[in-house]
Amino acid sequence: MLYGDNYDGMIEVAILNHWYRVFTTGAAWDVTGYFYPYASTLGYNDTYVVPGIPFSLARIAGADPFLAACASHVAMKSIGFVGMYVLLRRGLNVRTLLALSGAVLFTTANVSLLHMYHAQLLSVGLFPWLSFLAVRTARMLHRDRSYAVFAYGCGFAVLYGVTALNAFYGVWFFSLFLAIYAPVALMLMPANERQAFGAAAMRHWRALLACLVVGAIALLPMLLLYLPIMATGARHSWESGPHLYLPNMLTLFNVGSGNLVWGRLPTLLGADAPFPGGETRFGLPIGLMVATLFALLWAGRERAKSGIMLPVGIALGVVTVLALRWPPDHSAWWYIYSYVPGASAVRVVSRFLLFALVGIIPIVIVFLDRTPRRGWVLTLILAGLLVEEVQLDAPLTLDRHAQLRMLAAVGPPPAQCSAFFVVSARSADFPVLAESRAIDRAWGGDGIGTGGWSYRPNVDAMVLASYYGRPTINGISSFNPPDWTFANPQAADYLDHVRSYAMRHRLHGLCGLDVRRAVSWFPLAHGA
């Protein structure tokens, strides 16, 4: 059993295996095996390009797609661990043992483990590196080291572009944070420091301009991929999108019932209700929240010692206040959704709390590093912070052997099939009514819809296409092509939808897959 599930976890595997084909066979980087024959189909989802590299290395070494996906999880966690250590030790000058403790706290965070079934959220591990490069760029600017400004600034610009291409949520939240942090930091600076900073920026304008040019180039792949999809009107409506997934005050405490220390709290507060499912479980342990509050009070008194921690905390607080749903049902996030570019593509606003850890943990660790206390007291505090992150309800629900059996049982499409569609790839596909109802409720339905039926054949088609290298017209994502009508393979007119799609796109050699037939693969012309 691996991290993930039969739905988003399988979509992740399909996209990661796309990168394996890109690196080993030279396949087009922006065209996946699903939503055939649309162009730039990678843009309908997060690209997973960064974890795609360790995934591909694991596949080349002989791992199957599911073990390789696990290897990519390990790699992303490792990137996050080292990044947080480097940020604390080299960026913020924290003592080594405390920097290591902060890195462990970041890597083992309760909220991160709870959402391992959304592996794109592992991109949080890239943001300590972005933060480190930003801090070093500003420091080199103060020190009048133009080449260092250029080096660190270009490093930030390139990584920002890669992160934007890799997964959208994190980089959008990070950008919103920076847009609030920058004016807050400037306002909190003493007048003489603000003038010195402006003068340094003017002296090194060439290096900064070069960094902006590099950043614009680094963003081109992301813009080329996603702008055409956005042009088709791909956006979440307010009511069925962000409004549905706004955090409230109870969300801040919802660490999930499996948390070792605070697991009973969500139930007592009534915050762990089935709807909207796992997307309510983005809370922070109480000890970490209390430590953050004390750290910010200290930072307000000790500006010189705390450095950038106060403006970081204020910026995180502002974003949190904007995102919260206030009684009876109001949120300032509507203004963000309406006026900030890209906000309409952000559905689960509560995910911001995961990315906020990139700022919260440095705030706490810097506080512990720069306030004198006995070693045994510090040890107890760190031990308490680590223990309360322990989560016993890990989402280990992706059955590797079951998925491998499906791939082997179905086998590759016949040679005469130029592309395929799926009715059923598993003989036990449709006795999953409880699973289907759970997904329907998570989408805001009444629990009698066909959510699981919609997901299962489409997701299986994506994995089969990626694994065997034959495209499928099926697929599913937050945004689907304009004429995607493959939600319910059990519908009486499903094959009619397929035929209409094939005629519109002039597809020939299209085959169907239904393992419940005597012959699983069948040509569309004889599939009625």
Side-chain angles (χ1 to χ4, degrees):
M1 303 300 292
L2 302 175
Y3 289 109
D5 57 21
N6 292 329
Y7 301 103
D8 285 3
M10 292 284 279
I11 292 173
E12 174 207 356
V13 170
I15 298 172
L16 288 172
N17 207 66
H18 159 73
W19 288 111
Y20 168 65
R21 290 194 166 276
V22 170
F23 295 139
T24 58
T25 68
W29 73 274
D30 61 335
V31 180
T32 58
Y34 53 88
F35 293 148
Y36 181 77
Y38 277 92
S40 299
T41 47
L42 186 63
Y44 283 100
N45 217 313
D46 289 314
T47 72
Y48 292 91
V49 62
V50 176
I53 297 171
F55 175 92
S56 300
L57 292 174
R59 291 282 280 128
I60 291 169
D64 62 67
F66 305 99
L67 281 181
C70 185
S72 74
H73 298 164
V74 174
M76 292 303 291
K77 281 286 188 180
S78 301
I79 289 170
F81 175 84
V82 177
M84 182 56 73
Y85 172 78
V86 170
L87 171 62
L88 292 170
R89 183 73 187 96
R90 301 296 302 276
L92 301 174
N93 299 318
V94 169
R95 285 172 285 168
T96 299
L97 288 178
L98 275 169
L100 285 171
S101 299
V104 172
L105 193 61
F106 177 69
T107 311
T108 63
N110 173 88
V111 63
S112 182
L113 181 65
L114 273 178
H115 294 275
M116 283 290 289
Y117 63 94
H118 286 141
Q120 68 268 42
L121 297 182
L122 287 173
S123 64
V124 69
L126 299 173
F127 293 97
W129 288 103
L130 275 172
S131 303
F132 166 73
L133 291 168
V135 167
R136 294 293 291 181
T137 301
R139 188 171 296 168
M140 294 303 108
L141 201 61
H142 280 297
R143 295 178 181 177
D144 277 333
R145 296 175 60 182
S146 187
Y147 288 110
V149 169
F150 174 78
Y152 284 112
C154 286
F156 175 89
V158 170
L159 185 57
Y160 184 88
V162 171
T163 305
L165 179 64
N166 179 70
F168 178 74
Y169 266 80
V171 80
W172 190 87
F173 283 130
F174 185 73
S175 302
L176 179 65
F177 162 80
L178 285 181
I180 297 171
Y181 167 83
V184 170
L186 287 173
M187 284 189 293
L188 291 177
M189 274 185 188
N192 60 327
E193 289 186 17
R194 190 162 50 245
Q195 292 172 358
F197 183 80
M202 291 300 295
R203 287 195 300 274
H204 301 289
W205 68 269
R206 292 182 181 83
L208 294 174
L209 179 61
C211 294
L212 285 174
V213 172
V214 170
I217 295 171
L219 283 172
L220 279 178
M222 186 273 288
L223 296 174
L224 291 173
L225 182 65
Y226 287 108
L227 286 180
I229 305 299
M230 293 176 63
T232 65
R235 66 195 302 270
H236 295 293
S237 70
W238 169 251
E239 289 300 329
S240 63
H243 179 259
L244 202 60
Y245 294 99
L246 290 170
N248 55 36
M249 288 300 293
L250 295 183
T251 307
L252 301 178
F253 298 92
N254 189 351
V255 292
S257 57
N259 183 269
L260 181 64
V261 178
W262 306 109
R264 290 177 57 84
L265 191 60
T267 304
L268 292 173
L269 295 174
D272 204 19
F275 176 73
E279 302 294 6
T280 63
R281 297 181 296 173
F282 279 98
L284 302 176
I286 291 176
L288 183 63
M289 287 198 284
V290 171
T292 304
L293 179 60
F294 275 105
L296 289 176
L297 291 173
W298 165 80
R301 294 195 309 267
E302 301 286 349
R303 298 279 188 87
K305 288 184 180 179
S306 62
I308 64 171
M309 293 301 101
L310 183 60
V312 167
I314 292 174
L316 291 176
V318 169
V319 178
T320 303
V321 169
L322 290 172
L324 283 175
R325 186 198 303 272
W326 300 97
D329 189 21
H330 301 296
S331 176
W333 197 261
W334 184 85
Y335 298 99
I336 302 293
Y337 169 83
S338 301
Y339 300 113
V340 176
S344 61
V346 175
R347 183 170 62 104
V348 186
V349 181
S350 53
R351 290 179 180 176
F352 162 73
L353 295 170
L354 167 62
F355 292 94
L357 288 175
V358 180
I360 290 171
I361 289 174
I363 289 171
V364 171
I365 295 299
V366 168
F367 168 62
L368 295 177
D369 181 64
R370 295 174 191 173
T371 51
R373 52 179 45 84
R374 294 180 183 274
W376 65 270
V377 174
L378 186 60
T379 301
L380 284 177
I381 293 172
L382 289 172
L385 292 174
L386 290 168
V387 169
E388 68 172 358
E389 296 287 357
V390 175
Q391 174 57 241
L392 304 177
D393 189 19
L396 291 163
T397 56
L398 181 60
D399 189 334
R400 169 180 169 247
H401 293 293
Q403 306 306 337
L404 288 173
R405 283 195 300 271
M406 183 276 290
L407 291 175
V410 170
Q416 65 269 27
C417 299
S418 60
F420 69 94
F421 65 94
V422 169
V423 179
S424 174
R426 304 169 192 262
S427 56
D429 232 356
F430 296 98
V432 289
L433 189 56
E435 193 175 45
S436 173
R437 286 174 173 168
I439 293 175
D440 184 65
R441 281 194 297 268
W443 286 355
D446 53 13
I448 60 174
T450 58
W453 294 1
S454 171
Y455 254 71
R456 179 61 67 80
N458 281 289
V459 169
D460 284 344
M462 294 168 75
V463 174
L464 286 163
S466 178
Y467 188 70
Y468 288 113
R470 201 76 55 84
T472 179
I473 66 173
N474 289 103
I476 194 167
S477 71
S478 296
F479 306 110
N480 298 314
D483 60 348
W484 183 88
T485 55
F486 308 128
N488 186 5
Q490 289 298 284
D493 59 351
Y494 180 70
L495 289 178
D496 292 332
H497 286 302
V498 172
R499 289 192 186 92
S500 298
Y501 184 91
M503 290 179 62
R504 281 194 303 275
H505 295 278
R506 300 179 181 179
L507 302 181
H508 301 284
L510 189 62
C511 295
L513 171 65
D514 188 346
V515 299
R516 298 166 300 175
R517 292 170 175 255
V519 178
S520 298
W521 291 99
F522 60 93
L524 176 62
H526 302 97

mmCIF file of all heavy atoms in Angstrom, residues 258-291:
data_model
loop_
_atom_site.group_PDB
_atom_site.id
_atom_site.type_symbol
_atom_site.label_atom_id
_atom_site.label_comp_id
_atom_site.label_asym_id
_atom_site.label_seq_id
_atom_site.Cartn_x
_atom_site.Cartn_y
_atom_site.Cartn_z
ATOM 1 N N GLY A 258 -6.574 11.397 13.416
ATOM 2 C CA GLY A 258 -5.442 10.502 13.634
ATOM 3 C C GLY A 258 -4.238 11.162 14.274
ATOM 4 O O GLY A 258 -3.220 10.505 14.503
ATOM 5 N N ASN A 259 -4.342 12.467 14.598
ATOM 6 C CA ASN A 259 -3.206 13.141 15.229
ATOM 7 C C ASN A 259 -2.981 12.584 16.629
ATOM 8 O O ASN A 259 -3.918 12.433 17.413
ATOM 9 C CB ASN A 259 -3.464 14.642 15.302
ATOM 10 C CG ASN A 259 -2.285 15.405 15.887
ATOM 11 O OD1 ASN A 259 -2.215 15.613 17.090
ATOM 12 N ND2 ASN A 259 -1.366 15.821 15.031
ATOM 13 N N LEU A 260 -1.730 12.281 16.959
ATOM 14 C CA LEU A 260 -1.398 11.607 18.210
ATOM 15 C C LEU A 260 -1.808 12.415 19.435
ATOM 16 O O LEU A 260 -2.321 11.866 20.412
ATOM 17 C CB LEU A 260 0.116 11.328 18.261
ATOM 18 C CG LEU A 260 0.642 10.615 19.497
ATOM 19 C CD1 LEU A 260 0.059 9.206 19.595
ATOM 20 C CD2 LEU A 260 2.169 10.557 19.474
ATOM 21 N N VAL A 261 -1.623 13.722 19.402
ATOM 22 C CA VAL A 261 -1.880 14.567 20.572
ATOM 23 C C VAL A 261 -3.256 15.221 20.519
ATOM 24 O O VAL A 261 -3.993 15.235 21.504
ATOM 25 C CB VAL A 261 -0.786 15.645 20.708
ATOM 26 C CG1 VAL A 261 -1.057 16.568 21.893
ATOM 27 C CG2 VAL A 261 0.592 14.979 20.853
ATOM 28 N N TRP A 262 -3.616 15.765 19.350
ATOM 29 C CA TRP A 262 -4.825 16.583 19.240
ATOM 30 C C TRP A 262 -5.914 15.908 18.420
ATOM 31 O O TRP A 262 -6.828 16.570 17.928
ATOM 32 C CB TRP A 262 -4.489 17.938 18.608
ATOM 33 C CG TRP A 262 -3.389 18.668 19.303
ATOM 34 C CD1 TRP A 262 -2.118 18.881 18.852
ATOM 35 C CD2 TRP A 262 -3.452 19.283 20.603
ATOM 36 N NE1 TRP A 262 -1.379 19.578 19.763
ATOM 37 C CE2 TRP A 262 -2.172 19.841 20.865
ATOM 38 C CE3 TRP A 262 -4.449 19.410 21.572
ATOM 39 C CZ2 TRP A 262 -1.876 20.521 22.038
ATOM 40 C CZ3 TRP A 262 -4.152 20.087 22.741
ATOM 41 C CH2 TRP A 262 -2.890 20.628 22.969
ATOM 42 N N GLY A 263 -5.855 14.589 18.260
ATOM 43 C CA GLY A 263 -6.792 13.878 17.394
ATOM 44 C C GLY A 263 -8.244 13.975 17.806
ATOM 45 O O GLY A 263 -9.143 13.878 16.961
ATOM 46 N N ARG A 264 -8.519 14.158 19.104
ATOM 47 C CA ARG A 264 -9.910 14.262 19.551
ATOM 48 C C ARG A 264 -10.496 15.658 19.344
ATOM 49 O O ARG A 264 -11.710 15.834 19.360
ATOM 50 C CB ARG A 264 -10.009 13.890 21.037
ATOM 51 C CG ARG A 264 -9.775 12.416 21.324
ATOM 52 C CD ARG A 264 -9.828 12.142 22.829
ATOM 53 N NE ARG A 264 -11.095 12.567 23.409
ATOM 54 C CZ ARG A 264 -12.198 11.839 23.407
ATOM 55 N NH1 ARG A 264 -12.189 10.645 22.829
ATOM 56 N NH2 ARG A 264 -13.320 12.296 23.961
ATOM 57 N N LEU A 265 -9.622 16.623 19.118
ATOM 58 C CA LEU A 265 -10.079 18.009 19.035
ATOM 59 C C LEU A 265 -11.034 18.261 17.870
ATOM 60 O O LEU A 265 -12.077 18.907 18.061
ATOM 61 C CB LEU A 265 -8.865 18.940 18.952
ATOM 62 C CG LEU A 265 -9.132 20.434 19.111
ATOM 63 C CD1 LEU A 265 -9.754 20.721 20.477
ATOM 64 C CD2 LEU A 265 -7.831 21.211 18.958
ATOM 65 N N PRO A 266 -10.738 17.788 16.645
ATOM 66 C CA PRO A 266 -11.669 18.052 15.542
ATOM 67 C C PRO A 266 -13.075 17.537 15.817
ATOM 68 O O PRO A 266 -14.064 18.206 15.490
ATOM 69 C CB PRO A 266 -11.022 17.324 14.349
ATOM 70 C CG PRO A 266 -9.576 17.256 14.694
ATOM 71 C CD PRO A 266 -9.532 17.083 16.190
ATOM 72 N N THR A 267 -13.180 16.346 16.412
ATOM 73 C CA THR A 267 -14.494 15.786 16.713
ATOM 74 C C THR A 267 -15.212 16.627 17.765
ATOM 75 O O THR A 267 -16.415 16.908 17.645
ATOM 76 C CB THR A 267 -14.363 14.337 17.198
ATOM 77 O OG1 THR A 267 -13.665 13.580 16.202
ATOM 78 C CG2 THR A 267 -15.722 13.715 17.441
ATOM 79 N N LEU A 268 -14.477 17.035 18.806
ATOM 80 C CA LEU A 268 -15.085 17.843 19.861
ATOM 81 C C LEU A 268 -15.593 19.181 19.321
ATOM 82 O O LEU A 268 -16.627 19.688 19.769
ATOM 83 C CB LEU A 268 -14.069 18.086 20.986
ATOM 84 C CG LEU A 268 -13.667 16.858 21.813
ATOM 85 C CD1 LEU A 268 -12.546 17.214 22.773
ATOM 86 C CD2 LEU A 268 -14.872 16.303 22.577
ATOM 87 N N LEU A 269 -14.862 19.735 18.360
ATOM 88 C CA LEU A 269 -15.247 21.020 17.785
ATOM 89 C C LEU A 269 -16.244 20.882 16.645
ATOM 90 O O LEU A 269 -16.742 21.882 16.123
ATOM 91 C CB LEU A 269 -14.005 21.769 17.288
ATOM 92 C CG LEU A 269 -12.992 22.192 18.353
ATOM 93 C CD1 LEU A 269 -11.762 22.793 17.693
ATOM 94 C CD2 LEU A 269 -13.614 23.194 19.319
ATOM 95 N N GLY A 270 -16.503 19.619 16.240
ATOM 96 C CA GLY A 270 -17.400 19.413 15.104
ATOM 97 C C GLY A 270 -16.804 19.853 13.792
ATOM 98 O O GLY A 270 -17.510 20.237 12.865
ATOM 99 N N ALA A 271 -15.469 19.801 13.697
ATOM 100 C CA ALA A 271 -14.785 20.319 12.505
ATOM 101 C C ALA A 271 -14.319 19.224 11.569
ATOM 102 O O ALA A 271 -13.722 19.496 10.544
ATOM 103 C CB ALA A 271 -13.566 21.150 12.936
ATOM 104 N N ASP A 272 -14.602 17.950 11.889
ATOM 105 C CA ASP A 272 -14.105 16.857 11.061
ATOM 106 C C ASP A 272 -15.262 16.170 10.342
ATOM 107 O O ASP A 272 -15.323 14.959 10.228
ATOM 108 C CB ASP A 272 -13.346 15.844 11.923
ATOM 109 C CG ASP A 272 -12.335 15.050 11.091
ATOM 110 O OD1 ASP A 272 -11.980 15.521 10.004
ATOM 111 O OD2 ASP A 272 -11.930 13.969 11.528
ATOM 112 N N ALA A 273 -16.246 16.966 9.917
ATOM 113 C CA ALA A 273 -17.418 16.427 9.239
ATOM 114 C C ALA A 273 -17.014 15.832 7.888
ATOM 115 O O ALA A 273 -15.996 16.213 7.315
ATOM 116 C CB ALA A 273 -18.445 17.541 9.046
ATOM 117 N N PRO A 274 -17.816 14.887 7.362
ATOM 118 C CA PRO A 274 -17.450 14.234 6.089
ATOM 119 C C PRO A 274 -17.310 15.214 4.937
ATOM 120 O O PRO A 274 -16.483 15.044 4.068
ATOM 121 C CB PRO A 274 -18.626 13.272 5.864
ATOM 122 C CG PRO A 274 -19.217 13.053 7.205
ATOM 123 C CD PRO A 274 -19.024 14.334 7.954
ATOM 124 N N PHE A 275 -18.132 16.268 4.899
ATOM 125 C CA PHE A 275 -18.048 17.220 3.790
ATOM 126 C C PHE A 275 -17.376 18.500 4.247
ATOM 127 O O PHE A 275 -17.714 19.018 5.302
ATOM 128 C CB PHE A 275 -19.450 17.542 3.266
ATOM 129 C CG PHE A 275 -19.423 18.605 2.188
ATOM 130 C CD1 PHE A 275 -18.966 18.315 0.935
ATOM 131 C CD2 PHE A 275 -19.833 19.896 2.474
ATOM 132 C CE1 PHE A 275 -18.929 19.282 -0.037
ATOM 133 C CE2 PHE A 275 -19.807 20.871 1.506
ATOM 134 C CZ PHE A 275 -19.362 20.569 0.246
ATOM 135 N N PRO A 276 -16.417 19.084 3.517
ATOM 136 C CA PRO A 276 -15.910 18.572 2.260
ATOM 137 C C PRO A 276 -14.704 17.663 2.413
ATOM 138 O O PRO A 276 -13.675 17.843 1.774
ATOM 139 C CB PRO A 276 -15.552 19.841 1.495
ATOM 140 C CG PRO A 276 -15.191 20.823 2.575
ATOM 141 C CD PRO A 276 -15.987 20.451 3.796
ATOM 142 N N GLY A 277 -14.814 16.701 3.272
ATOM 143 C CA GLY A 277 -13.817 15.643 3.349
ATOM 144 C C GLY A 277 -12.463 16.115 3.819
ATOM 145 O O GLY A 277 -12.356 16.969 4.696
ATOM 146 N N GLY A 278 -11.426 15.558 3.207
ATOM 147 C CA GLY A 278 -10.066 15.833 3.645
ATOM 148 C C GLY A 278 -9.641 17.268 3.486
ATOM 149 O O GLY A 278 -8.657 17.699 4.090
ATOM 150 N N GLU A 279 -10.378 18.050 2.692
ATOM 151 C CA GLU A 279 -9.978 19.427 2.460
ATOM 152 C C GLU A 279 -10.258 20.326 3.658
ATOM 153 O O GLU A 279 -9.965 21.518 3.620
ATOM 154 C CB GLU A 279 -10.671 19.973 1.210
ATOM 155 C CG GLU A 279 -10.392 19.183 -0.057
ATOM 156 C CD GLU A 279 -8.946 19.238 -0.528
ATOM 157 O OE1 GLU A 279 -8.096 19.810 0.187
ATOM 158 O OE2 GLU A 279 -8.659 18.715 -1.617
ATOM 159 N N THR A 280 -10.876 19.807 4.717
ATOM 160 C CA THR A 280 -11.013 20.592 5.952
ATOM 161 C C THR A 280 -9.832 20.378 6.884
ATOM 162 O O THR A 280 -9.657 21.126 7.844
ATOM 163 C CB THR A 280 -12.289 20.201 6.718
ATOM 164 O OG1 THR A 280 -12.202 18.840 7.117
ATOM 165 C CG2 THR A 280 -13.515 20.410 5.847
ATOM 166 N N ARG A 281 -9.013 19.359 6.635
ATOM 167 C CA ARG A 281 -7.971 18.973 7.586
ATOM 168 C C ARG A 281 -6.635 19.652 7.252
ATOM 169 O O ARG A 281 -5.666 19.015 6.866
ATOM 170 C CB ARG A 281 -7.826 17.448 7.617
ATOM 171 C CG ARG A 281 -9.091 16.750 8.113
ATOM 172 C CD ARG A 281 -8.922 15.248 8.151
ATOM 173 N NE ARG A 281 -8.722 14.706 6.817
ATOM 174 C CZ ARG A 281 -8.417 13.441 6.577
ATOM 175 N NH1 ARG A 281 -8.252 12.596 7.573
ATOM 176 N NH2 ARG A 281 -8.267 13.006 5.345
ATOM 177 N N PHE A 282 -6.621 20.957 7.421
ATOM 178 C CA PHE A 282 -5.404 21.733 7.181
ATOM 179 C C PHE A 282 -4.976 22.486 8.437
ATOM 180 O O PHE A 282 -4.212 23.443 8.350
ATOM 181 C CB PHE A 282 -5.618 22.713 6.029
ATOM 182 C CG PHE A 282 -5.482 22.086 4.664
ATOM 183 C CD1 PHE A 282 -6.599 21.687 3.961
ATOM 184 C CD2 PHE A 282 -4.238 21.867 4.113
ATOM 185 C CE1 PHE A 282 -6.487 21.102 2.710
ATOM 186 C CE2 PHE A 282 -4.099 21.278 2.865
ATOM 187 C CZ PHE A 282 -5.236 20.889 2.157
ATOM 188 N N GLY A 283 -5.471 22.049 9.590
ATOM 189 C CA GLY A 283 -5.163 22.758 10.818
ATOM 190 C C GLY A 283 -3.734 22.556 11.289
ATOM 191 O O GLY A 283 -3.017 21.666 10.831
ATOM 192 N N LEU A 284 -3.328 23.403 12.230
ATOM 193 C CA LEU A 284 -1.987 23.343 12.812
ATOM 194 C C LEU A 284 -2.106 22.901 14.263
ATOM 195 O O LEU A 284 -3.051 23.273 14.964
ATOM 196 C CB LEU A 284 -1.315 24.713 12.745
ATOM 197 C CG LEU A 284 -1.165 25.325 11.345
ATOM 198 C CD1 LEU A 284 -0.566 26.727 11.458
ATOM 199 C CD2 LEU A 284 -0.323 24.447 10.445
ATOM 200 N N PRO A 285 -1.152 22.102 14.757
ATOM 201 C CA PRO A 285 -1.178 21.719 16.170
ATOM 202 C C PRO A 285 -1.151 22.947 17.071
ATOM 203 O O PRO A 285 -0.518 23.961 16.754
ATOM 204 C CB PRO A 285 0.091 20.873 16.319
ATOM 205 C CG PRO A 285 0.381 20.370 14.945
ATOM 206 C CD PRO A 285 -0.051 21.465 14.025
ATOM 207 N N ILE A 286 -1.833 22.843 18.197
ATOM 208 C CA ILE A 286 -1.985 24.003 19.086
ATOM 209 C C ILE A 286 -0.631 24.493 19.603
ATOM 210 O O ILE A 286 -0.397 25.699 19.710
ATOM 211 C CB ILE A 286 -2.920 23.644 20.258
ATOM 212 C CG1 ILE A 286 -4.348 23.472 19.732
ATOM 213 C CG2 ILE A 286 -2.886 24.723 21.333
ATOM 214 C CD1 ILE A 286 -5.341 23.035 20.770
ATOM 215 N N GLY A 287 0.268 23.575 19.924
ATOM 216 C CA GLY A 287 1.585 23.978 20.415
ATOM 217 C C GLY A 287 2.323 24.848 19.409
ATOM 218 O O GLY A 287 2.949 25.855 19.780
ATOM 219 N N LEU A 288 2.244 24.480 18.137
ATOM 220 C CA LEU A 288 2.911 25.270 17.095
ATOM 221 C C LEU A 288 2.265 26.642 16.964
ATOM 222 O O LEU A 288 2.964 27.651 16.793
ATOM 223 C CB LEU A 288 2.856 24.521 15.764
ATOM 224 C CG LEU A 288 3.578 25.181 14.586
ATOM 225 C CD1 LEU A 288 5.072 25.288 14.861
ATOM 226 C CD2 LEU A 288 3.329 24.404 13.290
ATOM 227 N N MET A 289 0.942 26.696 17.072
ATOM 228 C CA MET A 289 0.260 27.992 16.988
ATOM 229 C C MET A 289 0.621 28.893 18.169
ATOM 230 O O MET A 289 0.853 30.097 17.996
ATOM 231 C CB MET A 289 -1.256 27.774 16.914
ATOM 232 C CG MET A 289 -1.716 27.240 15.567
ATOM 233 S SD MET A 289 -3.497 27.465 15.286
ATOM 234 C CE MET A 289 -4.152 26.172 16.328
ATOM 235 N N VAL A 290 0.681 28.314 19.359
ATOM 236 C CA VAL A 290 1.049 29.098 20.541
ATOM 237 C C VAL A 290 2.487 29.603 20.413
ATOM 238 O O VAL A 290 2.791 30.766 20.707
ATOM 239 C CB VAL A 290 0.869 28.261 21.823
ATOM 240 C CG1 VAL A 290 1.461 28.984 23.028
ATOM 241 C CG2 VAL A 290 -0.614 27.970 22.058
ATOM 242 N N ALA A 291 3.386 28.726 19.980
ATOM 243 C CA ALA A 291 4.786 29.121 19.797
ATOM 244 C C ALA A 291 4.906 30.240 18.770
ATOM 245 O O ALA A 291 5.702 31.175 18.935
ATOM 246 C CB ALA A 291 5.621 27.916 19.370
#
